[in-house]
Amino acid sequence: MKLLIKNARVIDAKSNLDDQLDVLIENNKIAKIAKNIKDKDAEIIDAQDKVLMPGFVDMHVHLREPGYEYKETIKTGSMAAAAGGFTTVCCMPNTNPVIDNQGVVEFVISEARKTALINVLPIGAITKGLKGEELSEIADMQNAGIIAISDDGNGVMNADLMRRALEYASMLNILVIAHSENNDLSFGGVMNEGYISTKLGLKGIPTLAEVTMIARDIEIARYTDTCLHIAHISAKESVVLVKRAKKDGLKITCEATPHHFSLTDEAVLGYDTNTKVNPPLRAKADVQAIKQGLKDGTIDCIATDHAPHAESEKDVEYDHAPFGIIGLETALSLAISELVEPGILTLNQLCEKMAYNPAKILGLDKGYIAEGSNADLVIFDPEKESIISLANFKSKSKNTPFIGRKVKGAVALTISNGKIIYQAD
Ligand code: DOR
């Protein structure tokens, strides 16, 4: 099967390409990128006025399988990813059982092979059962196919254990993704600590819970000369710490989520539990710092932290709802509306944050477009306006605070491994 995409604005961060071109796909690969390609055997896709980029790579999602299939499955999560323009996602290990041994890794990989529309790469737990007490079977899990390790959802409170994890992972050449939270400082908190939490009478999570942990882990990475990726940074002081660490030449990378650059803690004012997320939505100055960090390169990537929860779990008092926001299907339009439209990022930089950088950090041969490379692509209309609506979601869960929000930018078509896996109506 051949596909010929005509007249797309082809954007690729790796080669700094931004030009109106045709792209021919043959045998799952990009066969040719040029002007005026003609091929009478190919199925034609008209991409006039649309942007073509490498398929997005999300290094932080929760697919909930095994154990919480009522929230999401690998299949439904992959459908949501395809609808959002993602062709590779990395799934976090806070499943049941936890992805902390070879058997569970093998299950996720085989389930993904059977049911997923896109590449699903499992992340293994740093510690057994995510308990923060002893290292999990990292080498065994690597042999079984994990792409990174993380205790996402929990901070690794034992600094010595984190040091051993970084040293061991460095020896194995596997990435450590830190969920930077001091569990003592955040204990019992449900939203950002500040004026709004006081006003609402909700217990706050101070930025300090994140910042002290990032400071600690940067120093451990400096001392051990190891790589560290910091998940979902949310506080302005965190951006300062990462910026300084990069300036010092440390191998530190980080990500920010669409909800952390699109919403402040004022969104919690109506007690909508869909705004409850960890780390919490922060103050205006933090959101501005996240945007600035994305612009100046301190923040390497945009990752969704897609965290599905059932309606029955979220439909309770704010204190009792689980943390999490789904993000795969709203990421592109929020990024275009909040970052590209106001001139914070160019489309080329967006491509870097959503495709090239995450792939590079993970050591994947993905996230770019070139002749001969795998045909993982997204085509989107950067100008199309829409209102985020529940009706269109492919995810099994609907926990998003963005319903009703007017946004710009919509995925038109997603291609994974040379096949069309999503096409907008
Ligand atoms: O809000 C969150 N939800 N943050 C996390 O770190 C974990 C995630 C989840 O698994 O629901």
Side-chain angles (χ1 to χ4, degrees), residues 62 64 94 152-153 179 232 277-278 305 307 309 323-324:
H62 298 268
R64 306 299 191 207
N94 58 343
D152 188 61
H179 171 103
H232 45 49
V277 67
N278 189 22
D305 194 4
H309 292 291
F323 292 100

Side-chain angles (χ1 to χ4, degrees), residues 4 37 84 91 100 122 155 168 193 197 205 245 254 266 312 326 387 405 409:
L4 177 56
I37 302 176
C91 57
D100 64 1
Y168 194 46
E193 179 175 283
S197 65
I205 300 174
C254 71
E266 288 190 19
S312 57
I326 54 167
I387 291 176
R405 188 157 166 138

